[in-house]
Amino acid sequence: MTDRVLIEGLRIDATIGIYDWEKKVRQPLLLDIEMAWDNRRPGLSDDIQDALDYEAVSNELTALVQRKPYELIERVAEEAASMVMSTFAVTWLRLKVSKPTALKNAVSVAVQIERGTRD
Ligand SMILES: Nc1nc2c(c(=O)[nH]1)N=C([C@H](O)[C@@H](O)CO)CN2
């Protein structure tokens, strides 16, 4: 099944980083997420109940990332992936977490993970 629902460039201001100064400020993270979902049913029914609601996913991602401080973007990625799969019954996803303020001489840094199985 190759259908997907995507969220691109979701900005979440987070307490993120390994240094003391980073624990006292908020920095933006950008999340890109690609989720396997059978879009044929919502495509026929035109009913949000059949769809993977990207607004609901975005709200839950924001709440999760802002709930507590994190040190590594890897940890953010892992917890976000786990939450989306369990809360929304997503069986496969690809998630990228970017930290654009991390390096002064780079546009951005990021980690990307894939979890679950493509059926
Ligand atoms: N692989 C990672 N490397 C680094 C991270 C990270 O989250 N994952 N974090 C930092 C610092 O917090 C950095 O972003 C401060 O600018 C360094 N390396």
Side-chain angles (χ1 to χ4, degrees):
M1 204 267 297
T2 56
D3 290 6
R4 302 281 185 263
V5 174
L6 289 85
I7 302 169
E8 297 175 336
L10 176 67
R11 179 187 163 133
I12 306 174
D13 291 328
T15 306
I16 177 76
I18 61 174
Y19 299 116
D20 286 345
W21 69 265
E22 294 190 283
K23 302 180 195 312
K24 298 173 192 151
V25 299
R26 288 204 156 194
Q27 299 180 80
L29 296 178
L30 295 175
L31 273 60
D32 297 299
I33 185 164
E34 184 180 336
M35 299 164 283
W37 193 262
D38 188 345
N39 288 323
R40 287 174 295 193
R41 278 182 63 194
L44 285 170
S45 67
D46 205 17
D47 185 344
I48 189 66
Q49 299 300 332
D50 294 328
L52 176 56
D53 183 346
Y54 51 74
E55 182 181 18
V57 175
S58 300
N59 290 341
E60 290 299 318
L61 284 169
T62 302
L64 178 130
V65 173
Q66 293 188 330
R67 193 166 295 143
K68 64 180 184 184
Y70 289 90
E71 299 232 334
L72 301 179
I73 56 176
E74 284 88 339
R75 183 69 181 168
V76 173
E78 208 62 60
E79 289 195 8
S82 174
M83 181 278 291
V84 169
M85 295 181 78
S86 60
T87 306
F88 296 96
V90 167
T91 56
W92 175 90
L93 60 76
R94 176 183 292 136
L95 173 65
K96 179 177 168 187
V97 178
S98 303
K99 187 178 179 183
T101 52
L103 298 180
K104 70 173 190 296
N105 52 345
V107 172
S108 193
V109 298
V111 297
Q112 180 170 288
I113 63 173
E114 289 184 31
R115 295 293 178 267
T117 49
R118 302 181 204 226
D119 40 34

